[in-house]
Amino acid sequence: MKVKVISVLEDNYMYLVIEESSRHAVAVDAAVPRRLLEIVRKEDAVLKAILTTHHHCARSARRDHARGNEELAQLLPGLQVFGADERVGALTHRVSHGQELAFGSIRVRCLFTPCHTSGHMCYFMWEDDSPDAPALFSGDTLFVGGCGQFFEGTAEQMLTNLTQILGALPRDTKVFCGHECTVRNLKFALKVEPENEKVKEKLAWAKQRDDEDLPTVPSTLEEEFLYNPFLRVTEEAVQRFTGRTEPVEVLRALRSQRDNFKKPKERLNPQAVLAFDWGLFEPFLEKK
């Protein structure tokens, strides 16, 4: 299977996953319909379904991951829309934890990870008899170097998500997350573990990618365990930084510290944010 990484809006990722033999495709978090359909046409693919990780959360200023569902459902009658939350727009199939889906040779396992939103679903994807590593579409649960905010859940839930659900996947799993926030995440990771050489290396690489306007996804789970502090809550250095030893308390303290970590120096003005929300910049926002 082929994964197209499509950068849209301010820092979002949506993905087009194509079965190369049939050219059938599924989209993950179809935020910008026109951009998605343009890529579908360029790839000579047929869009069969949308997998939505989560709805637009009321506590977030963003209207992103599910924003294109209704328009796509109108443009493509019969399009299947999968998600775990009835608040997902144009939902046709509500899925549950452990449920498996098939799109040709592409297999999908639904992994319920409530916390960022109460209905957040991640999607683990692979092809039978393929030498390629599997893929995890982690939405706003797991980021490169970080994890999502606890908008509708608790530290206990996120710990379960990161350690028992996502962290239990094969270590070579490629991680495709919902936002490009790698540099900011790794700056925080360096504050947590200033002597961690893996953090330093990944941050230098991510800054270079950012300077070249290139995505930092995918990472792998194996890499994340080396530099992502939210997956390293049992490490002595991380516990020392938080002043806690119980994993859930370490995670809770990390999230609180990350929430209060310095903001990016450059912020969009309100007019620009509104223009993004209206989709006025959509034709210009795909990273090559």
Side-chain angles (χ1 to χ4, degrees):
M1 67 187 184
K2 177 180 182 180
V3 179
K4 291 286 294 184
V5 178
I6 309 169
S7 180
V8 293
L9 305 177
E10 183 179 353
D11 61 12
N12 274 78
Y13 284 122
M14 63 181 180
Y15 300 98
L16 185 68
V17 185
I18 305 168
E19 184 191 45
E20 295 190 84
S21 59
S22 68
R23 308 308 294 174
H24 288 175
V26 296
V28 180
D29 287 348
V32 182
R34 283 177 287 175
R35 172 59 64 198
L36 177 63
L37 293 178
E38 178 184 338
I39 301 299
V40 169
R41 286 191 293 269
K42 285 181 179 179
E43 291 292 329
D44 192 28
V46 179
L47 184 63
K48 306 297 285 187
I50 297 170
L51 304 178
T52 300
T53 59
H54 61 293
H55 80 298
H56 166 59
C57 178
R59 287 184 59 189
S60 170
R62 301 175 184 273
R63 178 176 173 266
D64 46 11
H65 298 268
R67 63 174 280 171
N69 289 6
E70 289 92 344
E71 182 177 342
L72 285 164
Q74 291 177 351
L75 293 171
L76 302 172
L79 182 68
Q80 299 179 89
V81 179
F82 296 84
D85 194 318
E86 62 186 11
R87 295 171 292 183
V88 169
L91 186 70
T92 62
H93 295 73
R94 189 168 182 177
V95 293
S96 57
H97 180 66
Q99 183 175 343
E100 294 198 357
L101 312 172
F103 302 96
S105 63
I106 297 174
R107 301 288 185 263
V108 181
R109 182 177 302 133
C110 303
L111 301 174
F112 189 48
T113 55
C115 182
H116 180 71
T117 68
S118 61
H120 195 292
M121 187 69 76
C122 295
Y123 300 98
F124 179 66
M125 203 172 296
W126 74 96
E127 277 188 301
D128 289 334
D129 303 319
S130 171
D132 297 334
L136 171 67
F137 297 91
S138 58
D140 287 3
T141 293
L142 175 65
F143 294 126
V144 181
C147 77
Q149 292 179 275
F150 306 171
F151 284 146
E152 296 182 354
T154 65
E156 287 81 3
Q157 287 178 312
M158 186 60 80
L159 183 66
T160 297
N161 295 339
L162 297 179
T163 60
Q164 298 180 32
I165 299 175
L166 304 187
L169 296 173
R171 292 298 177 99
D172 65 344
T173 299
K174 295 179 180 179
V175 179
F176 295 91
C177 58
H179 292 277
E180 179 57 60
C181 48
T182 301
V183 170
R184 298 197 300 276
N185 286 340
L186 291 172
K187 285 180 177 179
F188 175 71
L190 189 61
K191 180 181 178 181
V192 176
E193 293 187 272
E195 304 304 318
N196 188 324
E197 293 299 322
K198 294 299 181 181
V199 174
K200 296 176 185 178
E201 292 170 10
K202 189 70 174 182
L203 177 56
W205 175 85
K207 286 180 175 178
Q208 182 177 350
R209 297 286 289 185
D210 196 50
D211 289 343
E212 296 172 357
D213 201 30
L214 294 171
T216 61
V217 294
S219 64
T220 68
L221 273 181
E222 183 173 19
E223 294 171 348
E224 292 298 321
F225 277 104
L226 297 176
Y227 53 66
N228 188 330
F230 296 93
L231 289 174
R232 294 172 58 79
V233 294
T234 60
E235 295 294 326
E236 182 181 351
V238 179
Q239 294 181 349
R240 185 166 57 247
F241 173 80
T242 61
R244 306 286 190 272
T245 56
E246 285 296 321
V248 69
E249 297 305 327
V250 175
L251 183 64
R252 196 190 319 275
L254 281 174
R255 186 65 260 174
S256 177
Q257 294 260 12
R258 177 66 179 90
D259 289 344
N260 294 303
F261 191 60
K262 62 182 180 181
K263 305 298 181 186
K265 293 181 181 179
E266 297 182 4
R267 301 297 296 172
L268 291 175
N269 63 39
Q271 291 82 6
V273 172
L274 187 60
F276 272 115
D277 198 45
W278 285 351
L280 299 182
F281 297 156
E282 290 170 6
F284 311 103
L285 290 174
E286 181 190 5
K287 290 182 181 176
K288 304 299 183 185

